[in-house]
Amino acid sequence: MKETQKIQLKGLTLEELQNYFISIGEKKFRGEQLFNWMYNHLVFDALELKNFSKELRKKIDETCELKTLTLVDKQFSNHTNTQKYLFSTHDNKKIESVIIPDKERNTLCISTQVGCPLDCKFCATGLMGFKRNLTAGEIVDQYLYSAREYGKEKITNIVFMGMGEPLLNFQNTIKAVEIFTHELTKGLSRKRITISTSGIPHKIIDLADYNLRVKLAFSLHSAFEDVRSKIMPINKKYSLKENLEALKYYAKKTKTRITFEYIMLKDINDRKEDIKALTKLCTQLPSKINVIPFNSIKHMNPDGISAELESTPYEKILEFVELLRNNNITVFIRDTRGDDIAAACGQLAIKHN
Ligand code: SAH
Ligand code: SF4
C-alpha cells in the first residue's frame, strides 16, 4: 500500500482516535492509549506500541501512518544556543522549526503553512509565495520531534511564528493547540502558547469564541492604515480599524493582553508621528509592544519596496522605545542578533523549497 493512502493518525484528537478504533472493531480505550503513546511518549512507529497485541500493532503499521514528517537536518548555533530542525513532508516540502533558549524559558517556533499567501513586503516567507496548508499532524509533529530531540519538559513555550498565517489554517491550528494543551499529554499551559497573526478579523473573533485562551500576537508594524497597506497588502482587505475591534474583543473575552509586533523599518514606521499614533492605539486595549529590528531579506533578491527596506539603526530604536515608555506604553526590544524568536522565525526553510 502506498504511504499516501494510509490513514494519518497523527493530528487526530482523542475523540477521533477513539472513533477510529471503534470503526475497526476495537475497544474505545485504545484511542486513549494511542493518544498517550503518540503525544506523551513521543512514539512514531506502530511497532513500538507496547501494550497493543502483536496483530493490532501489525494492522496499524500496515494501514496507518504515525508520523507525518522526516527530520532531515539539525543545526545548532554555539553562539546563540538556537537549534533548528529541518523537516521534509510526505510530498517533499521543507519546513523548519526553531528552538530559542532564553533565561528561564525555551521557546519552540512552529510553522502552519508552507510559504504564505499574504505577501508582506518585509517577510522572506511571504516572498516565496504560498504552497499549501500544513495538516494538524504536521503542525503537531514539529513539536513532537523537537521535544524528542531537545527534551519534552525543556520546551516551555510554543509560538506560531514560523512560516505561514495560522488563522488562514484555522482548524488545523486549533486542533494542534488542543493536542498541545490536552490534560492527557501533560501538555503545555495555554498561557505559554502564542498565535501570531497579520490580522484576519473574523478569525480573531472565532478564536476568541473558541475559548482556547491562548495568547495572541498581532503583527502591527504601523499604526497608520496607508503605511500598513503598503508593507502588508492584507491591510487593504482587512483594515487596521476592523482588526482593532476584533483584538479588543479578544482581549476582553480571554482576559489577556495583546502583543503588538513591530518591526522597525527606517523612515517608514520609526518617525515622530508613529510614536504618537502607536501611543493612541495601545491605550485603547490591554497591550504591549515587541519592537523587532528588521532582519534583512536581501538574500531573497527582492524587487520593489522589499528591496528598499532597511532596519532602523539600533540607537534610534532605543530612542523610539524610550519615547514610547515615556508615554506609559509597555515595550520590549527583541534581540538584534537575528536569533531572536520573531527574527529567527520569520526566515525559515526558504532556501530549501
Ligand atoms: N503570519 C503570522 C505569523 C508568522 S510571521 C504573522 O505575520 O504574524 C512571525 C513574525 O515574524 C511576525 O511578527 C513577522 O512580522 C516577523 N517577521 C517576518 N519577517 C521578518 C523580518 N524580515 N525581520 C524581522 N521579523 C520578521
Ligand atoms: Fe505571511 Fe506572516 Fe510573513 Fe506576512 S509576516 S507574509 S503573514 S508569514
Side-chain angles (χ1 to χ4, degrees):
M1 184 182 278
K2 264 175 65 192
E3 204 160 47
T4 45
Q5 291 167 327
K6 287 185 167 184
I7 300 166
Q8 292 291 342
L9 295 179
K10 191 62 74 59
L12 296 190
T13 60
L14 178 59
E15 201 187 354
E16 287 171 337
L17 287 173
Q18 288 168 336
N19 288 339
Y20 162 71
F21 281 106
I22 292 167
S23 79
I24 61 164
E26 290 287 334
K27 290 274 190 301
K28 189 177 166 187
F29 73 85
R30 292 283 179 209
E32 190 168 327
Q33 285 180 328
L34 184 59
F35 189 90
N36 204 26
W37 280 121
M38 288 196 300
Y39 304 138
N40 216 12
H41 296 294
L42 313 177
V43 163
F44 291 83
D45 184 343
L47 301 176
E48 288 175 27
L49 301 171
K50 291 204 190 85
N51 54 0
F52 283 42
S53 69
K54 213 169 157 191
E55 294 74 52
L56 184 54
R57 263 185 259 167
K58 194 160 167 271
K59 185 171 175 181
I60 297 175
D61 185 52
E62 283 169 2
T63 55
C64 303
E65 183 58 66
L66 262 62
K67 74 181 180 50
T68 63
L69 302 173
T70 311
L71 182 62
V72 288
D73 194 19
K74 238 179 4 179
Q75 283 172 17
F76 178 71
S77 153
N78 276 327
H79 169 52
T80 61
N81 282 335
T82 305
Q83 304 226 4
K84 268 192 189 181
Y85 301 112
L86 177 70
F87 300 106
S88 185
T89 62
H90 286 320
D91 58 347
N92 207 24
K93 301 276 185 286
K94 298 294 184 291
I95 52 174
E96 235 169 0
S97 310
V98 52
I99 297 179
I100 303 116
D102 199 356
K103 281 176 213 82
E104 73 282 0
R105 62 182 177 205
N106 299 310
T107 303
L108 173 70
C109 173
I110 55 177
S111 303
T112 52
Q113 299 182 314
V114 185
C116 180
L118 296 190
D119 195 26
C120 299
K121 299 303 173 195
F122 47 79
C123 175
T125 307
L127 290 181
M128 75 178 264
F130 177 63
K131 305 280 192 264
R132 71 165 171 84
N133 277 337
L134 293 179
T135 63
E138 287 164 339
I139 300 173
V140 169
D141 258 348
Q142 293 171 64
Y143 169 61
L144 299 178
Y145 265 104
S146 308
R148 198 164 71 168
E149 294 292 317
Y150 197 73
K152 191 177 185 211
E153 66 294 339
K154 287 202 287 182
I155 296 177
T156 58
N157 295 61
I158 294 182
V159 292
F160 285 79
M161 290 189 185
M163 301 167 91
E165 170 50 53
L167 298 190
L168 290 181
N169 189 7
F170 193 78
Q171 285 308 332
N172 291 337
T173 296
I174 281 183
K175 241 177 150 181
V177 171
E178 280 178 340
I179 291 168
F180 293 152
T181 56
H182 198 282
E183 55 182 17
L184 271 187
T185 60
K186 301 185 189 104
L188 289 160
S189 140
R190 292 156 194 279
K191 287 187 213 123
R192 291 180 172 273
I193 296 181
T194 303
I195 292 181
S196 176
T197 179
S198 273
I200 320 285
H202 57 284
K203 292 289 173 194
I204 293 176
I205 305 241
D206 286 350
L207 192 65
D209 289 339
Y210 215 92
N211 208 21
L212 274 185
R213 285 173 283 117
V214 291
K215 290 213 254 173
L216 187 63
F218 179 76
S219 291
L220 177 63
H221 310 320
S222 174
F224 293 105
E225 299 277 7
D226 56 340
V227 178
R228 198 167 186 268
S229 293
K230 223 162 104 183
I231 52 175
M232 303 176 75
I234 188 65
N235 195 65
K236 292 176 202 150
K237 189 165 179 192
Y238 303 118
S239 68
L240 187 51
K241 188 163 177 276
E242 253 181 285
N243 271 299
L244 273 178
E245 288 314 308
L247 292 170
K248 283 180 202 169
Y249 181 79
Y250 191 89
K252 198 165 172 204
K253 182 106 196 219
T254 60
K255 300 189 182 68
T256 56
R257 90 179 155 168
I258 306 292
T259 300
F260 288 120
E261 289 164 280
Y262 199 88
I263 300 177
M264 296 294 305
L265 298 167
K266 188 170 170 239
D267 300 331
I268 291 182
N269 64 2
D270 60 356
R271 306 154 306 165
K272 285 264 166 350
E273 57 264 46
D274 291 304
I275 293 171
K276 212 170 146 194
L278 261 176
T279 303
K280 195 169 159 210
L281 189 148
C282 286
T283 41
Q284 291 180 48
L285 70 168
S287 58
K288 62 168 178 161
I289 302 179
N290 273 345
V291 157
I292 309 161
F294 170 59
N295 220 11
S296 171
I297 49 168
K298 287 261 182 321
H299 62 286
M300 299 290 291
N301 297 321
D303 51 19
I305 181 176
S306 300
E308 294 160 26
L309 300 175
E310 274 179 63
S311 185
T312 304
Y314 202 65
E315 301 302 302
K316 194 158 177 221
I317 294 181
L318 293 178
E319 218 176 277
F320 189 85
V321 167
E322 198 52 38
L323 290 168
L324 282 168
R325 286 182 180 152
N326 289 346
N327 291 347
N328 286 325
I329 306 295
T330 309
V331 192
F332 296 95
I333 309 183
R334 292 303 194 184
D335 212 303
T336 46
R337 291 170 298 171
D339 63 332
D340 173 70
I341 298 169
C345 289
Q347 314 290 316
L348 299 179
I350 310 305
K351 59 181 183 289
H352 307 285
N353 279 298

